[in-house]
Amino acid sequence: MFNRDLVLKQRAEILHALCSSGSTEHLERVLDKLLSQGELIWEEYQNIQVQGRALYTNVRQLLDLVYTKGEDTCEFFLAAVKQVLPEAQGAGITFSGCCSNLEKTGESQSTSSQTLLTQRASLVTKLQACIDGALEALVESGHFTSSDCDDVLLPIHTPSQQARRLLDHVRSKGESAAKCVLHYIQESESSLNQEKWTLSKEFSKYQKKLSSSVSAQSCFLSSYGRTSHMPLDEIYTEAQLELANDFADLSGALDLDDIVGAAGTVNDEADTVLVSGEAGSGKSTVLQRLHLLWARGVSLKGFLLLFPFSCRRLNSEQRELSVQELLFQHCCWPDKEQEEIFQFILDHPHLILFSFDGLDELKQGFSDEHMVCCPTQRAPVNILLFNLLQGFLMKGVRKVVTSRPEAVGPMLKKHLRKEVLLKGFSPSGIDCFVKKHHRDPTVAAKVLESLQMNTALLGLCHSPVLCWIVSQCHKELLGCGEGSPQTITDVYLMILQHFLQHQSPLKSTMGLGWLQEHIKVVLHLGQLAFEGLGTSCYIFTDTDLETCYVTEKDICMGFLILSKDMSSTHSKRYEFLHVTMQCFFAALFIVLSNNTDRSTIHKLFEPQNMKGTRLSSNCFMGCIPSSDQQEQGLEGESVIAETSNLQITATFVSGLLSQRHRSLWFHCCPSAGMEKKVRQVVKCLSKGMHKHFKSIPQPVQGEKKSMHAMPGFVWLIKCIYEMQECKIAKDAMSKLEVDHLKLTYCNIGPVECTALAYVLQYLRNPVGLQLDYNSVGDVGVEQLLPCMHICNSLYLRNNNITDEGIRKLIAKGIQCDNFQKIALFNNKLTDACTQHFSLLLKTKQNFLSLRLGNNNITAEGAKQLAEGLKFNHSLQYLGLWGNKISDTGAEALASALEGSKTLVWLSLVGNGVGSAGAYALAKVIESSASLEELWLTENCITKAGVECLIQALERNTHVKSVWLRNNDLSLEEVEEMTRCESRLIF
Ligand code: ADP
């Protein structure tokens, strides 16, 4: 029998079983489970759990609801009832059809508020043990008042009810309160665990030693190396952290504690959290900040020991080690009682945290081939690391790993507890960073002003490393007037000039000769960088420096810094300020040197063909072990990581060979050689683009020709942009013939938008540009304006766009004839943007589709839209799913849409629309000759409202369906009305 039938047939028995004890506990536990599974939404829960109403009525309401929701919900419901009821009470009920596993709450929770729902059942249990403390924490943090506490602690409530009331209150207070309570529960859990044991004197000593070493390593920011010593506290600026899952609610920004916390967990069994982000997005810095806060006892209080590793430095470990040796030799050596301390670590894995920075820089790509489970067994460090990440070694120890996204393949992904994306600075982050960087407020204000005037540069500053360079070079920036930097290459040339001239200010010539003056330094460092890239080498020994003729004076220029190392190696080692700086110097070498192989440029632009070959034939082996294993590693997943550096280098090569910079090279190298390199690059770019275009499938008849960007497409576009030559962009685009260009989930931020618009503006025919699920933001929107005239549809779902971005977008869109559709689902729009859409609707009589779902538009916004709709005679699709327009908003829209001859599809799902709204919409049904679908699911329409709709439908044959699921209707009403009108869908 189907579960739905089981619920219906056994209604009386289930009712009795849940109510006979007189306590609401069983019902509440069932509700907890259904909420956790997402089978009930919050509003439904509230409708059932009405305080003061008879228990029987509440249970009946639930039975009605699960029945209406269908087979799946009934299955979950029965499974929940089975789990909750004592065996005797459930004895008379048949559960045979239900096989739901209620424990599989594996789905990601993107915000703390969602975690409160999805883990409700277990949180209720946990909170009972610490309700007073949790309330105290909420009061202290300003989230709860004393009357909130009184409400929770009412003596009539049982402890579990108190826990539920607390969670309900927290939910109504918003995300920050949710975060606070989850944090408290997590901390109190680990302190409960901590109380169970006493720490030996030697252990405490070791803990102190480790934390002071971690603190010393993390209190200064290394990029300030030679130029100044910048304490992390003074410069650290919050970067944007997001969860990497489809449900990511952008309003719920994460903070540092959330990296290790519960929010967003997709696999409870796994220990490894991945923080991924592009080069320069601030991964190492975020980790460094976490280390520092842990060492000070401010954050991660549940962890007694934190062992930080850098994959870059692990590369130079050639010995086979055991986990014990890895921890003690690479992080901190216990002066006494090593065995006892290690045993403690083994016995209490949940109190230990490991961090691994820069997995992408590990020479060997991730592999799960060699299994090591024993912590005393020796193995090469990469094998140890892979086993740690998979949880075969040190299960239960939490591990945080940072990496560029490309370097993490599906093999590792399946072992992740969760993934956090680091998206660089937000606009306010840029503001904050610049102000921290420049104590003098007038300087800061000038820098910020010049960024506002150059939005391409502002876009670049979302990347922290570029924001740092721009701030560092403020004098150059403010002095360059019109010629202010546009491209990434411009910015790196600026820091090159800055450092070179900083070291020899007296001699400095402000003209173009500055490069010629320092050509030797540039070539030495360039060769070092180039050779290093070819062998995935990022740390250099004295011998490596000598091989490339790098002198002490070259080091003094500031591009190389001393490598920090937790282990006690005696010899000095160096690394570039940042990996992107190494790529830049490698690019300079490729452009300026006559000694690179002729095929270098070709190899650089086709890294996928590079397997087994090396960028440089003349690689020095000093910095890498020359074992077979090593060779194998380079052939594996690490080729992907390496590709990312080669792509950055290729972008710089394109920029350096741009016509705009050729005068710089004029005195440094023969122009014939230079011209040849330019031709080579242009050819590679054109070939690369052609390959992408060739991969576009022919459309099925009647469908649009669509291109889904393959990896590497955006990179090629960026290279073309760096060249800043419209002819190259024109040539590339003249061959692209598509109707729809899909770039969803392509990591597109403002920088990529600048490049895309620069290139796409030369498309010959209008396209639909689909940029859903990226990080376009308002700055990115502004960057897209130059290509708006060629976009007939623009899809920007889930992109962090606010009203300000819309203002600019629409101002331009109104002037573009081709522009006909826009989708902005899940952004940060409020009523303040609706006046712009209203103007768009009034002005553009060929506009077809406006989708604004899941934003924050209320009745006021709907009224504004209605103003525009009154004058519009073209709109076919209007989507407002998941806003808050209520009856008043629905009435305003309906009155504007009465008699519409174009509107085909209207969605007001989940908008708090009641019967008054339905009454008004009935008039649209009655009068419209074009409407086919009306979506009113998840509203609060009652029988009276639906009756109006039925009457209207009687006079309309065009409408195909009216969706009414989850409104305020009883089961009987639904059945009756379905009989009346088959186009109503419940
Ligand atoms: P990644 O590890 O992603 O390549 P880094 O953490 O090395 O990036 O950041 C590069 C540079 O950008 C840092 O050296 C620092 O100057 C700057 N930076 C990055 N993140 C921040 C931050 N949160 N606050 C201040 N500066 C930052």
Side-chain angles (χ1 to χ4, degrees), residues 221-224 232 234-240 276-289 357-358 360-361 402-404 422 424-425 433 436-437 463-469 577-580:
L221 203 62
S222 60
S223 61
Y224 291 83
L232 188 63
E234 285 177 24
I235 193 71
Y236 182 79
T237 306
E238 295 276 328
Q240 305 176 94
S276 66
E278 299 302 328
S281 60
K283 300 179 294 293
S284 309
T285 311
V286 155
L287 215 48
Q288 194 175 329
R289 184 73 182 155
D357 190 22
D360 48 277
E361 291 193 351
T402 72
S403 174
R404 280 182 255 182
L422 186 54
F425 291 150
F433 179 88
K436 284 185 176 186
H437 196 275
S463 160
V465 71
L466 289 163
C467 196
W468 167 68
I469 296 180
L577 267 179
H578 191 257
V579 68
T580 49

Side-chain angles (χ1 to χ4, degrees), residues 77-133:
F77 170 73
L78 286 172
V81 172
K82 188 177 177 186
Q83 277 193 7
V84 158
L85 288 181
E87 226 166 276
Q89 257 167 290
I93 303 173
T94 311
F95 298 105
S96 61
C98 74
C99 51
S100 282
N101 175 9
L102 283 178
E103 307 315 322
K104 65 168 177 46
T105 38
E107 285 77 34
S108 343
Q109 306 106 40
S110 58
T111 61
S112 300
S113 303
Q114 278 168 330
T115 308
L116 286 193
L117 277 189
T118 51
Q119 300 191 0
R120 184 174 170 94
S122 74
L123 288 174
V124 167
T125 317
K126 287 177 187 170
L127 264 176
Q128 291 178 50
C130 58
I131 198 124
D132 292 332

Side-chain angles (χ1 to χ4, degrees), residues 130-144 149 153 166 180 184:
C130 58
I131 198 124
D132 292 332
L135 285 171
E136 213 169 285
L138 285 161
V139 171
E140 256 173 39
S141 58
H143 293 105
F144 265 33
C149 297
L153 294 176
L166 187 146
C180 170
Y184 177 81

Side-chain angles (χ1 to χ4, degrees), residues 496 500 515 518-535 537 540 544-545 547-551 554-555 557 559-560 576 579-596 600 615-616 618 620 649 653 656:
L496 180 70
L500 292 178
L515 185 68
H518 296 283
I519 192 74
K520 278 197 183 143
V521 186
V522 173
L523 283 173
H524 296 165
L525 293 174
Q527 186 176 352
L528 185 74
F530 176 73
E531 301 277 359
L533 273 195
T535 53
C537 182
F540 306 97
D544 301 331
L545 293 163
T547 318
C548 297
Y549 313 103
V550 176
T551 63
D554 300 340
I555 299 173
M557 291 293 169
F559 299 105
L560 285 180
F576 280 89
V579 68
T580 49
M581 195 69 87
Q582 182 171 347
C583 296
F584 179 63
F585 271 98
L588 280 167
F589 187 71
I590 294 169
V591 170
L592 292 174
S593 159
N594 300 321
N595 295 337
T596 51
T600 305
L615 186 60
S616 126
N618 177 24
F620 44 80
T649 309
V653 168
L656 291 172

Side-chain angles (χ1 to χ4, degrees), residues 336-348:
K336 284 189 200 151
E337 307 290 355
Q338 286 96 12
E339 291 311 318
E340 180 205 316
I341 290 172
F342 190 61
Q343 194 54 48
F344 183 92
I345 294 173
L346 291 179
D347 293 343
H348 302 90

Side-chain angles (χ1 to χ4, degrees), residues 450 453-454 457 474-486:
S450 71
M453 293 192 338
N454 178 352
L457 189 60
H474 70 277
K475 286 205 179 112
E476 289 80 355
L477 179 72
L478 299 174
C480 62
E482 288 291 291
S484 137
Q486 296 285 316

